[in-house]
Amino acid sequence: MAKKTKRKQTTNKASKLTGLKSFLTGEKFKYTVGLFLLVFGLYLLIAFISFLFTGHADHSKLDLSWRELLANTDIKVHNKAGKTGAYLGEAIINRGFGLASFLLVFMLVISAFQFFNRPLVKYWRSMVLAFVSMLWISLFLGLVLMSINTESFLYLGGENGYFLAVWLSSLVGYVGTFFLLVCSLFLIILFSFDNFIPWLKQVFRKRETVVEEAVATGEAKVQAEVEPEENISKVIDENDTIETIFDPDEEQPVALDNSLDREKIQENVREQLAAKEVEPEEDKEGLEMTVEKVEEETNENYTQEATEDYDPTLDLSNYQFPSVDLLDDHSSGNAEVSNDELITNKNKIVETLRNYKIEITKIRATIGPTITLYEIVPAPGVRIAKIKNLEDDIALSLAALGIRIIAPIPGRGTIGIEVPNQQPEIVSMRSIISSKKFQESTAELPVVLGKTISNETFLIDLAKMPHILVAGATGQGKSVGLNAIITSLLYKKHPSQLKFVLIDPKKVEMSLYSTIEKHFLAKLPDDEEPIITDIQKVKYTLNSVNIEMDTRYDLLKKAHARNIKEYNKKFISRRLNPEKGHRYLPYIVVVIDEFADLIMTAGKEVELPIARIAQLARAVGIHMIIATQRPSTNIITGVIKANFPSRIAFKVASMIDSRTILDTPGANQLIGKGDMLIATGSHITRVQCAFVDTPEVERVCEHISGQQGYPTAFLLPEYVGEDEGGALDTDLSNRDELFNDAARIIVVNQMGSTSMIQRKFSIGYNRAGRIMDQLEAAGIVGPSEGSKARQVLVQDEYSLEQLLNGL
């Protein structure tokens, strides 16, 4: 009997502890504590501010004890927060940490929002930083008070800061304490801001000295750089190549043979500098960056002596990624499936199967946001096809829309019956963006689409897909799905790492993204609109992407890299020479909405470049996402299907459409509103697409567009249609004023490219095209060869000058 009593008491204690633990971790307790902290923080803020203005009037009354102050109702204070506020102001500011006590309000507010599960900042990092800053400010102000005798009622650093300053001064003196404060401030900034070290390097970096060798006279000339190094790096990044530095008074560009003895070069530089009474700057690193090789050099042997790797994000180093707070939480909170609903559906399924003499040995349910999966294990001897044929009968007994039977579930040994929930839950984009799976993803192009039946975040790597075909009837969620794909990439990638080519024949679906043109969009050089809507421009853009793809393959071939990841890794580690045309390659994602409209109006002119991109572009980082509302065989042809192994199907009207998209039925039995099937190879997953509303996309784009961007959008290679071409009958008597300079640039680089003329002289595409036509008419460059650069017919600058003098 005693043992039973003890066991009962132990059980009661355990249940009480469990109940207490569940209460302390429950949402009610968290919201209560959070509300208390928020209100108390605001109350302290009012008390502190009022204390600064009324503390001198209340100072004499605050000498009383706390009990006397409360008990005596005749005592009146001027503080807006009453006696308690006046006392807290005196106790925390004067007897505590002085003006630094305002950081205590900040700590209370962020703690309150942490309990609300709406973190404003990185909590623990901000708390530690605020506490350390409070100590530092208090000590600093206390040190100032030591040297300034004041009769004010207010202790700027508080008593704690004052006595700490006195104690430190007695140990290391006033000067030593000041040095300790400076060092501690440096450490606080160092550990608080990630961009502090790059900023220091930029501030203290030496100016470069450019060494030039005059070819005509053979004399060495030294030209001191007038631009800071950050301007040099900016030119390099924008033009994707290191420009050849030449003297405008000379006929040929300056070049040095890197095989010369470096010590002799530096000694010669010092002599020339001394002769011109210029202080030499022995910047070995800067010298090497401007030295060119005359001899042919392979990419593998190119190494630049640099202390750190190339950083593609340096141009926009202050870029801030969008925060989760820009998105709304659309979850209703009352969409849970009740036990009564589960038991009722289970009984109806079992009863329906028994009516057809089908016995089952086991049934279990997996609850998802919009669908509940009932897995059944049939009795031995029951044919799976017999259960599959009862799809409509089960739907009738459950009075549900969109019953789907998976017979069998791959790798599970069970048969699945998917039943829509009576109260479906909205999966918000905020919930999946803030999920641990997405935040900690190491994928190259992470795309988060929604939640599976088991309530897991569904994440894919677009770089491995490598292209996606999206189809579904009108109003079933295709546009929202495209927005979810684009938004998830915007939350993960820096503008230097990713570019979008957005094609929207409807002209209204993707107009939201036009504001991020100078950050994430790519277009043709002569396009005014960042979103491609004109059919003719669509054809030119797709062919331009093909040219970009061919150019990238040439770069990969020269770099002996198999894919874009290996190539960029070599470029970042400075193993590829930018003077050989190498550049950092961002990923390019081509998004096409209303693909059916393009096929109807352009046909093969659009289908062929799309098929070529889909076949070859994966290795060079170009990926495609095409969406259509008409999944018929004349739109989604065999060529398209063969090159788009990854497909997303929203609800369609018929089983034929489902077979066209997925090669299997099922998409016709979806319930709509973002319910979709994702086929990756032979595996099909049912996912509830995340909902991202138009105002959310606008806020994300406004956050990005409000920051510093590139001068222009990412310019694709120029493409000239068959109906366009160079004008050989150009009048050379009316040459452009930049004609001679452009000719020299073309001959120096031995590359005839209109886009290069654009970049060098910062002019528009039309003017650069006219200059190229004049160069062709003058015999300096050859005719257009499609995707290739024009052949340069003049081999050196001496021949060019003779040709120009004869014009």
Side-chain angles (χ1 to χ4, degrees):
M1 189 68 180
K3 291 182 178 179
K4 289 183 178 180
T5 304
K6 289 183 179 180
R7 190 177 302 168
K8 188 175 181 180
Q9 291 176 351
T10 305
T11 305
N12 292 335
K13 288 181 180 179
S15 61
K16 289 180 180 179
L17 290 174
T18 304
L20 179 62
K21 182 179 179 181
S22 61
F23 172 75
L24 293 177
T25 56
E27 290 189 351
K28 292 181 180 179
F29 178 78
K30 288 183 177 179
Y31 275 86
T32 303
V33 175
L35 181 61
F36 172 77
L37 292 176
L38 181 61
V39 172
F40 184 62
L42 296 176
Y43 180 79
L44 273 186
L45 180 63
I46 296 172
F48 287 173
I49 295 175
S50 183
F51 178 78
L52 296 180
F53 295 97
T54 63
H56 62 281
D58 298 335
H59 188 63
S60 60
K61 303 170 186 176
L62 297 176
D63 292 336
L64 300 174
S65 65
W66 171 241
R67 292 182 180 179
E68 292 175 347
L69 187 64
L70 282 181
N72 194 343
T73 57
D74 295 332
I75 298 178
K76 304 295 182 183
V77 295
H78 295 81
N79 196 297
K80 298 297 183 182
K83 295 179 182 179
T84 304
Y87 186 82
L88 289 176
E90 173 70 19
I92 298 177
I93 294 181
N94 271 353
R95 302 175 189 173
F97 299 97
L99 294 180
S101 302
F102 279 91
L103 288 173
L104 184 62
V105 177
F106 170 76
M107 297 165 70
L108 289 171
V109 171
I110 65 172
S111 298
F113 280 91
Q114 188 72 15
F115 276 98
F116 291 152
N117 291 327
R118 294 290 185 271
L120 298 177
V121 290
K122 293 181 179 179
Y123 181 67
W124 289 112
R125 181 177 179 178
S126 300
M127 289 291 286
V128 172
L129 177 61
F131 182 75
V132 173
S133 300
M134 187 166 64
L135 293 178
W136 190 91
I137 295 173
S138 176
L139 176 58
F140 174 77
L141 294 176
L143 192 66
V144 171
L145 280 179
M146 290 178 57
S147 58
I148 300 176
N149 294 323
T150 177
E151 299 297 332
S152 173
F153 77 96
L154 180 65
Y155 286 91
L156 295 178
E159 291 184 1
N160 291 337
Y162 177 76
F163 287 114
L164 187 59
V166 171
W167 177 69
L168 281 177
S169 298
S170 66
L171 291 179
V172 294
Y174 185 84
V175 176
T177 306
F178 176 76
F179 285 142
L180 284 176
L181 283 172
V182 173
C183 294
S184 58
L185 178 62
F186 178 84
L187 292 176
I188 291 173
I189 297 175
L190 179 65
F191 286 98
S192 301
F193 301 99
D194 296 332
N195 295 328
F196 183 60
I197 293 181
W199 179 80
L200 281 179
K201 289 183 178 179
Q202 198 170 11
V203 170
F204 294 105
R205 188 174 292 170
K206 295 180 180 180
R207 292 180 179 269
E208 295 185 350
T209 302
V210 179
V211 181
E212 297 183 346
E213 180 184 359
V215 176
T217 60
E219 296 177 358
K221 295 184 178 181
V222 180
Q223 176 184 358
E225 291 273 54
V226 296
E227 294 182 352
E229 187 165 343
E230 54 265 24
N231 293 337
I232 296 176
S233 63
K234 182 176 181 182
V235 172
I236 294 172
D237 291 337
E238 289 177 2
N239 299 340
D240 294 330
T241 179
I242 297 180
E243 295 186 21
T244 305
I245 301 173
F246 62 94
D247 191 339
D249 297 331
E250 298 294 334
E251 294 182 355
Q252 290 186 345
V254 177
L256 284 181
D257 191 345
N258 202 27
S259 62
L260 296 176
D261 189 0
R262 190 171 305 279
E263 293 182 359
K264 292 182 178 179
I265 294 176
Q266 293 178 349
E267 185 177 357
N268 191 16
V269 170
R270 295 190 191 98
E271 292 176 359
Q272 296 295 328
L273 288 170
K276 297 186 177 185
E277 296 182 355
V278 178
E279 250 184 52
E281 293 183 5
E282 300 178 10
D283 189 353
K284 185 176 180 180
E285 181 181 348
L287 177 65
E288 292 178 356
M289 192 183 74
T290 57
V291 172
E292 295 182 334
K293 284 189 179 181
V294 177
E295 300 176 356
E296 188 63 25
E297 174 187 43
T298 59
N299 293 316
E300 294 81 0
N301 296 332
Y302 171 77
T303 55
Q304 183 170 354
E305 295 181 13
T307 57
E308 56 187 24
D309 292 342
Y310 169 75
D311 184 7
T313 66
L314 192 60
D315 280 349
L316 302 182
S317 58
N318 295 325
Y319 176 78
Q320 298 292 328
F321 286 87
S323 65
V324 184
D325 297 330
L326 298 172
L327 303 175
D328 296 330
D329 189 2
H330 298 283
S331 58
S332 55
N334 57 351
E336 295 183 359
V337 179
S338 63
N339 289 331
D340 294 339
E341 182 180 346
L342 291 175
I343 294 172
T344 302
N345 289 341
K346 182 201 72 171
N347 292 336
K348 288 181 178 179
I349 291 173
V350 174
E351 183 181 353
T352 304
L353 294 176
R354 282 179 180 171
N355 290 338
Y356 292 91
K357 298 180 181 180
I358 298 175
E359 296 291 335
I360 61 176
T361 59
K362 186 179 180 181
I363 183 170
R364 64 187 297 268
T366 304
I367 303 173
T370 57
I371 300 294
T372 298
L373 173 64
Y374 295 88
E375 294 182 63
I376 62 174
V377 179
V382 177
R383 297 183 61 187
I384 295 178
K386 193 174 182 180
I387 300 177
K388 181 70 174 175
N389 293 333
L390 297 177
E391 201 166 54
D392 294 334
D393 300 280
I394 296 175
L396 177 63
S397 66
L398 295 175
L401 176 66
I403 296 295
R404 177 171 171 263
I405 295 180
I406 311 171
I409 298 178
R412 301 286 287 271
T414 58
I415 296 174
I417 303 175
E418 295 176 346
V419 181
N421 298 335
Q422 293 180 1
Q423 294 181 339
E425 179 186 356
I426 298 177
V427 178
S428 62
M429 194 70 189
R430 179 186 180 121
S431 62
I432 59 174
I433 288 291
S434 59
S435 64
K436 184 178 179 181
K437 188 173 184 179
F438 179 74
Q439 294 294 332
E440 298 181 357
S441 173
T442 57
E444 291 294 320
L445 294 175
V447 173
V448 62
L449 290 172
K451 288 187 178 181
T452 62
I453 291 178
S454 57
N455 261 324
E456 295 180 356
T457 300
F458 186 82
L459 185 141
I460 58 175
D461 186 0
L462 183 59
K464 296 180 180 179
M465 299 297 282
H467 313 289
I468 302 177
L469 171 64
V470 184
T474 303
Q476 302 304 319
K478 292 192 311 301
S479 297
V480 175
L482 291 179
N483 286 336
I485 293 173
I486 297 174
T487 302
S488 58
L489 290 173
L490 292 178
Y491 265 85
K492 266 292 187 180
K493 305 305 289 184
H494 189 273
S496 64
Q497 301 169 335
L498 174 67
K499 301 297 176 183
F500 288 100
V501 176
L502 301 181
I503 299 174
D504 181 20
K506 281 169 58 175
K507 303 181 181 181
V508 294
E509 290 293 343
M510 297 184 182
S511 59
L512 300 171
Y513 300 102
S514 60
T515 57
I516 59 173
E517 172 187 357
K518 295 183 179 180
H519 296 82
F520 282 101
L521 299 191
K523 64 176 184 178
L524 289 173
D526 58 340
D527 275 356
E528 296 181 359
E529 296 294 329
I531 311 297
I532 299 99
T533 56
D534 182 69
I535 299 299
Q536 193 70 17
K537 294 290 185 182
V538 170
K539 293 189 291 185
Y540 288 174
T541 301
L542 292 175
N543 282 283
S544 177
V545 174
N546 273 273
I547 297 173
E548 174 72 13
M549 178 183 70
D550 294 335
T551 303
R552 291 188 172 201
Y553 268 112
D554 291 338
L555 293 176
L556 262 65
K557 178 183 176 183
K558 294 178 182 178
H560 300 287
R562 295 179 57 197
N563 52 52
I564 186 175
K565 189 174 181 180
E566 294 180 6
Y567 178 88
N568 282 338
K569 187 176 180 181
K570 285 188 175 182
F571 188 85
I572 288 174
S573 59
R574 301 186 185 273
R575 294 163 57 192
L576 299 177
N577 191 347
E579 295 181 356
K580 303 298 180 183
H582 290 290
R583 54 191 169 91
Y584 181 82
L585 301 180
Y587 285 94
I588 297 178
V589 178
V590 183
V591 183
I592 304 176
D593 197 9
E594 298 302 334
F595 176 67
D597 184 66
L598 294 182
I599 293 295
M600 290 174 60
T601 53
K604 294 293 183 181
E605 293 180 273
V606 170
E607 183 180 356
L608 292 179
I610 287 177
R612 189 164 183 268
I613 293 171
Q615 288 171 348
L616 300 174
R618 172 182 181 175
V620 291
I622 301 177
H623 305 277
M624 295 198 73
I625 302 170
I626 62 176
T628 179
Q629 62 181 2
R630 271 183 49 194
S632 55
T633 53
N634 62 331
I635 302 298
I636 304 177
T637 61
V639 176
I640 296 297
K641 288 181 66 175
N643 294 291
F644 283 80
S646 301
R647 302 165 199 168
I648 298 177
F650 291 86
K651 182 177 175 59
V652 294
S654 65
M655 185 184 297
I656 296 175
D657 291 342
S658 178
R659 289 187 181 275
T660 303
I661 307 168
L662 302 174
D663 297 325
T664 183
N668 56 311
Q669 296 166 326
L670 300 175
I671 63 174
K673 295 183 179 179
D675 191 17
M676 61 185 180
L677 295 175
I678 300 177
T680 53
S682 59
H683 185 64
I684 296 180
T685 307
R686 190 167 185 173
V687 176
Q688 176 61 38
C689 182
F691 178 67
V692 52
D693 205 359
T694 302
E696 299 175 68
V697 178
E698 288 179 345
R699 287 197 293 269
V700 172
C701 292
E702 286 175 3
H703 171 81
I704 296 173
S705 62
Q707 304 182 58
Q708 178 189 359
Y710 294 103
T712 62
F714 182 83
L715 297 181
L716 296 171
E718 57 181 312
Y719 173 78
V720 180
E722 294 180 357
D723 55 339
E724 301 179 14
L728 295 178
D729 55 346
T730 303
D731 184 12
L732 292 179
S733 61
N734 188 22
R735 296 192 299 272
D736 192 281
E737 60 182 8
L738 295 176
F739 176 83
N740 290 352
D741 294 335
R744 293 187 180 96
I745 289 291
I746 293 293
V747 172
V748 166
N749 292 276
Q750 286 295 302
M751 184 174 68
S753 170
T754 305
S755 59
M756 184 177 68
I757 295 178
Q758 281 184 268
R759 295 195 303 269
K760 297 293 184 182
F761 299 105
S762 300
I763 60 177
Y765 174 76
N766 294 330
R767 184 180 180 185
R770 288 194 297 269
I771 294 175
M772 186 60 73
D773 292 339
Q774 294 171 3
L775 292 172
E776 179 184 352
I780 297 174
V781 298
S784 174
E785 299 181 15
S787 62
K788 298 181 180 178
R790 294 173 183 250
Q791 182 181 1
V792 181
L793 304 179
V794 179
Q795 301 302 319
D796 53 67
E797 280 201 287
Y798 180 75
S799 302
L800 174 65
E801 293 299 328
Q802 288 183 331
L803 191 151
L804 293 177
N805 292 332
L807 292 178

